[in-house]
Amino acid sequence: MAVTARESSSPLDAQQWREDFPILARVLPNGAKLIYFDNAATTQRPRQVIEAIVDTYQRHYANVLRGVHTLAEETDELYASAREKVRTLINAPSAEQVIFTYGATSAINLVARSWGESMLRRGDEILLTEMEHHSNLVPWQQLAARCGAVIRWIPITDDGLLELDALERLLSQRTKLVAVTAVSNVLGTINPLEHIIRRAHAAGAVVLVDGAQAVPHMPIDVQALDCDFLAFSGHKMLGPTGIGVLYGKRELLESMPPFLGGGGMIRLVEMDRFTAADLPHRFEAGTPPIVEAIALAAAVDYLNQVGLAAIHAYELMLTRQAHQCLQSVPTLRIFGPKPEQKGGIVSFALANLHAHDVAQLLDRAGIAVRAGHHCTMPLHKRLGVPATTRASFYFYNTPEEVEQLAPALERAMHTLRRK
Ligand code: 7TS
């Protein structure tokens, strides 16, 4: 993964950062202290982000790109500065290439609708991987059904890594798009993006990277990666819900027709036609998520303070610890590669126990995990299980919390097997 220079190399002090997160001090109704291991679904927010939301509504709020009054100008400035902060985070060449969307899902749908519908023809091929989240899968199925394109799949190994030989076999002149997640939300696998992008470009294909599980957890540099599109969500990186980002290469974004029509995305409207505004506004029809963007910028500031390289290293330590502790739990099977090849995500199954029952019993111990197919049904079919239980970490989790996972699981197994 491309690492940017800015990161601090000092060790991460989770206890210190936790103090900024009021919710992490929650005690549950049954008296258990919260252990929040559901960060791949959504993270929690520090005070600084919550205060940015409150402060904007209390002092600066107006609609953007419409008004000339003082509040409107202040809000315009904050909104523009939010875009610039996101630009810096991913090292995009210009802020116009950062489009605010409503989340990773809406960013990917934007590309499928706009770029996909204008570029793809019958018989063209879209290359996906078996580990994609439904958000990076269903929009392509919908596109394929509309335009007659064909979806092909890069399979995974039993260890949860992409089969890179298959990538070579599957890439051809027919391949127009490779859409791949940077980090699997179930296996945790960190995919070799540089390699995939290089090979895809050599075949003439465009690459969309689903960064939902990567941008919050490690440095991502879109220019070093050379990806064509990158999509991610604010709520998985300390920001609010209802905001996401689509980054795109300028020549691609400029060639794409607007997806949603409405106010804010036009230069000129006549009775029978319109001309679209320049980037980024041509893709931001209607009143955008203004406060959400401003609060996302506060989240980016916060993440820069913690340091994304430090977060990545710290999560690796927690993941190693979790793998080691969970080894002692009878019949437990962890899906995905070894900790060194993945992010802070540990999905597992226990023989003859349903993932939901396990998650419910962990909740009694205060441990919040997710159970189910995690919006990756094809992946679970490949893994041969209907559901998994998933613990996913962030920099505010501690080794003491991870230590409680295995004993809580053993107690849960004991309870369930007695039933
Ligand atoms: N891509 C990946 C890899 C994801 O993990 C998710 C959400 C999305 C896209 C969609 O993001 P959204 O913000 O637009 O919904 N993943 C999960 C999850 O693993 N558990 O809950 C949501």
Side-chain angles (χ1 to χ4, degrees):
M1 196 97 354
V3 173
T4 47
R6 165 190 76 232
E7 314 305 329
S8 79
S9 55
S10 57
L12 190 149
D13 181 355
Q15 285 301 348
Q16 176 209 320
W17 299 114
R18 283 176 76 82
E19 288 174 17
D20 289 329
F21 291 78
I23 206 168
L24 296 180
R26 263 274 331 245
V27 174
L28 302 181
N30 68 359
K33 197 168 172 309
L34 172 69
I35 296 180
Y36 188 75
F37 285 164
D38 198 15
N39 294 288
T42 196
T43 62
Q44 300 297 344
R45 278 124 208 82
R47 243 181 328 102
Q48 290 83 341
V49 170
I50 298 167
E51 280 165 11
I53 296 170
V54 173
D55 187 60
T56 306
Y57 279 127
Q58 286 187 342
R59 290 174 359 111
H60 302 292
Y61 182 72
N63 210 328
V64 285
L65 307 168
R66 286 153 172 82
V68 290
H69 56 81
T70 305
L71 283 189
E73 281 182 0
E74 284 177 8
T75 314
D76 275 353
E77 226 166 86
L78 288 168
Y79 189 64
S81 140
R83 200 186 301 279
E84 174 57 25
K85 282 188 178 161
V86 173
R87 182 201 74 72
T88 314
L89 177 78
I90 58 172
N91 193 30
S94 75
E96 293 90 64
Q97 290 164 261
V98 172
I99 316 288
F100 284 129
T101 66
Y102 298 95
T105 303
S106 82
I108 296 168
N109 275 275
L110 192 168
V111 178
R113 285 283 182 164
S114 172
W115 178 85
E117 284 192 2
S118 59
M119 296 303 293
L120 262 61
R121 301 283 173 268
R122 182 162 298 282
D124 284 345
E125 292 182 3
I126 300 169
L127 199 47
L128 305 179
T129 85
E130 272 183 338
M131 63 171 83
E132 295 312 313
H133 186 281
H134 295 167
S135 289
N136 196 28
L137 193 169
V138 178
W140 307 119
Q141 290 177 330
Q142 292 174 305
L143 172 66
R146 285 194 300 271
C147 72
V150 177
I151 294 178
R152 303 220 176 273
W153 297 90
I154 304 173
I156 59 166
T157 65
D158 290 341
D159 292 339
L161 299 170
L162 289 181
E163 272 191 32
L164 292 176
D165 290 351
L167 171 72
E168 300 302 323
R169 268 200 316 279
L170 289 162
L171 279 171
S172 77
Q173 283 184 339
R174 288 186 301 277
T175 317
K176 291 295 179 293
L177 174 77
V178 178
V180 57
T181 193
V183 173
S184 159
N185 68 317
V186 174
L187 305 166
T189 314
I190 299 174
N191 286 320
L193 291 180
E194 282 97 339
H195 174 81
I196 295 168
I197 291 167
R198 215 177 317 114
R199 299 307 302 148
H201 284 171
V206 159
V207 181
L208 177 137
V209 173
D210 176 350
Q213 299 293 349
V215 174
H217 299 277
M218 60 191 69
I220 296 282
D221 177 333
V222 290
Q223 293 189 71
L225 280 177
D226 198 26
C227 59
D228 300 286
F229 296 108
L230 173 74
F232 55 100
S233 287
H235 70 95
K236 292 186 199 285
M237 52 188 285
L238 313 179
T241 52
I243 179 102
V245 172
L246 174 68
Y247 156 81
K249 282 193 179 155
R250 182 179 281 280
E251 59 276 19
L252 284 169
L253 291 174
E254 281 179 343
S255 72
M256 285 159 53
F259 161 43
L260 295 174
M265 51 70 74
I266 50 87
R267 186 199 302 274
L268 181 76
V269 181
E270 295 167 79
M271 302 291 269
D272 59 349
R273 79 195 70 169
F274 75 94
T275 33
D278 290 335
L279 293 176
H281 309 295
R282 65 196 281 130
F283 294 114
E284 294 181 3
T287 298
I290 301 166
V291 178
E292 289 77 2
I294 295 168
L296 176 61
V300 169
D301 284 343
Y302 194 93
L303 285 173
N304 283 333
Q305 262 190 304
V306 184
L308 281 153
I311 291 175
H312 183 45
Y314 183 76
E315 287 176 6
L316 171 59
M317 182 202 69
L318 292 183
T319 306
R320 277 199 185 114
Q321 184 198 348
H323 273 232
Q324 206 160 32
C325 297
L326 291 178
Q327 266 170 13
S328 66
V329 179
T331 81
L332 185 141
R333 174 180 167 208
I334 296 177
F335 298 95
K338 55 182 192 283
E340 290 69 27
Q341 290 169 304
K342 66 186 214 170
I345 292 176
V346 182
S347 296
F348 53 88
L350 291 155
N352 305 320
L353 295 183
H354 198 280
H356 282 111
D357 295 337
V358 174
Q360 245 162 17
L361 283 167
L362 287 179
D363 181 57
R364 283 196 204 166
I367 303 178
V369 294
R370 186 175 166 191
H373 54 66
H374 314 292
C375 301
T376 57
M377 287 173 111
L379 173 62
H380 277 74
K381 189 166 181 210
R382 166 67 177 86
L383 298 176
V385 287
T388 49
T389 306
R390 178 186 70 186
S392 51
F393 309 127
Y394 213 11
F395 62 88
Y396 44 60
N397 291 125
T398 63
E400 293 73 30
E401 289 180 321
V402 173
E403 216 172 317
Q404 298 195 37
L405 195 53
L409 274 171
E410 290 194 15
R411 285 197 301 274
M413 286 169 68
H414 191 67
T415 309
L416 287 168
R417 296 218 158 105
R418 261 199 335 233
K419 275 190 182 170

